[in-house]
């Protein structure tokens, strides 16, 4: 079942912060985050496992709220290089099938 | 560098003419995936392999077939491409050591149908 991502799009100026949310109606085992630039392949950012952990990649961090089945991606002090479409991919608890369901994506535009 | 390589980067075919897209990997990963991605949409899983075990998504059209002759290579065959099959096709791999392995994507093949 496809997770729900919000917002659909966000426009930032360099140095501003943003939060992208990814929610599921099903119990999750993990949440993956990827960034895709126009015309390129998605690039892996990080995986969050159930247990509410946080992780970081450069000044991008994420959290996973197991109770809410929601993950949030935090873009802090955004840089021009952060522009792209961010996808969350969710892995259902108990499935063990190595498959991800991707959200519809959030397009981030960072302007100078 | 270990990687996922897709050939060709751009493929043009005629309506109804069979086409094959290829993917190779040097990561020695057990799991390989084929995704279809249309403009401004999320990647849509077509099928995936765990070693030689083939797993087809329920909504993948019969027009799409796949072969994985060995660990390193995987092919996507589109038997009779229609205009609606024009898209970016992404190959990805992942390890199988636990269920929390990242997927590594190739650069994709952009398929156009004339």
């Amino acid at each position: 079942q496809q997770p729900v991502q919000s917002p659909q799009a966000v426009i930032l100026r360099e140095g501003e912060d943003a939060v992208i949310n990814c929610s599921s109606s099903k119990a999750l085992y993990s949440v993956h985050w990827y960034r895709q630039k126009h015309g390129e392949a998605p690039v892996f950012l990080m995986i969050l496992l159930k247990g509410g952990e946080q992780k970081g990649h450069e000044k991008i961090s994420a959290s996973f709220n197991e109770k809410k089945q929601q993950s949030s991606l935090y873009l802090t002090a955004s840089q021009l290089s952060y522009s792209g479409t961010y996808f969350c991919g969710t892995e259902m608890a108990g499935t063990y099938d190595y498959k991800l369901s991707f959200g519809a994506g959030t397009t981030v535009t960072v302007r100078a | 560098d270990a990687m996922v390589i897709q050939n060709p980067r751009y493929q043009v075919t005629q309506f109804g003419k069979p086409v094959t897209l290829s993917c190779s990997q040097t990561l020695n990963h057990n799991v390989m995936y084929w995704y279809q991605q249309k403009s401004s949409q999320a990647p849509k899983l077509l099928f995936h392999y765990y070693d030689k075990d083939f797993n087809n998504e329920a909504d993948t059209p019969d027009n799409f077939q796949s072969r994985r002759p060995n660990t390193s290579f995987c092919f996507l065959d589109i038997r009779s491409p229609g205009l609606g099959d024009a898209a970016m096709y992404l190959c990805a791999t992942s390890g199988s050591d636990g269920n929390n392995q990242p997927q590594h994507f190739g650069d994709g093949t952009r398929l156009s149908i004339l």
Side-chain angles (χ1 to χ4, degrees):
Chain A
Q1 187 156 5
Q2 187 178 32
V4 177
Q5 270 187 251
S6 63
Q8 271 190 312
V10 60
I11 299 174
L12 302 166
R13 291 206 177 274
E14 264 187 303
E16 290 183 339
D17 302 339
V19 181
I20 301 169
N21 294 308
C22 174
S23 299
S24 173
S25 59
K26 303 280 187 182
L28 297 177
Y29 175 77
S30 68
V31 180
H32 300 217
W33 285 98
Y34 294 81
R35 178 172 64 207
Q36 185 176 29
K37 293 186 182 277
H38 185 69
E40 298 180 10
V43 172
F44 169 73
L45 294 176
M46 63 193 84
I47 291 176
L48 286 300
L49 301 179
K50 65 177 184 177
E53 64 173 341
Q54 292 198 348
K55 281 201 172 178
H57 174 86
E58 301 169 340
K59 286 189 178 178
I60 300 173
S61 61
S63 63
F64 180 19
N65 185 321
E66 196 177 339
K67 279 188 179 177
K68 292 185 178 180
Q69 300 304 322
Q70 178 177 303
S71 179
S72 296
L73 187 73
Y74 306 95
L75 307 182
T76 306
S78 58
Q79 305 169 16
L80 295 175
S81 62
Y82 288 2
S83 293
T85 300
Y86 290 77
F87 292 101
C88 67
T90 55
E91 194 168 7
M92 301 298 171
T95 53
Y96 310 112
D97 59 7
Y98 305 100
K99 296 194 312 186
L100 295 178
S101 295
F102 283 98
T106 296
T107 300
V108 172
T109 304
V110 181
R111 294 183 175 158
Chain B
D1 278 346
M3 55 178 56
V4 181
I5 301 166
Q6 289 188 244
N7 283 305
R9 288 294 307 277
Y10 301 92
Q11 176 74 56
V12 181
T13 191
Q14 290 179 333
F15 182 94
K17 185 173 181 182
V19 66
T20 295
L21 310 182
S22 73
C23 176
S24 64
Q25 56 130 341
T26 60
L27 297 161
N28 204 33
H29 282 164
N30 297 92
V31 192
M32 291 188 79
Y33 309 82
W34 278 106
Y35 290 92
Q36 179 192 64
Q37 187 177 29
K38 296 190 175 181
S39 184
S40 302
Q41 296 183 19
K44 178 180 179 297
L45 183 64
L46 296 172
F47 19 63
H48 75 285
Y49 285 89
Y50 181 95
D51 289 330
K52 288 227 170 210
D53 290 337
F54 175 72
N55 299 274
N56 197 29
E57 293 302 294
D59 58 354
T60 298
D62 292 339
N63 201 21
F64 290 82
Q65 305 282 315
S66 183
R67 297 168 283 137
R68 188 179 185 187
N70 54 53
T71 301
S72 301
F73 287 88
C74 197
F75 300 96
L76 170 62
D77 301 308
I78 308 177
R79 291 193 293 190
S80 183
L83 296 178
D85 296 329
M88 172 78 90
Y89 290 87
L90 294 164
C91 173
T93 73
S94 74
S96 56
D97 183 19
N99 281 355
N100 55 342
Q101 299 297 309
Q103 294 189 14
H104 301 264
F105 286 84
D107 287 334
T109 295
R110 185 166 295 283
L111 179 66
S112 300
I113 314 293
L114 298 180

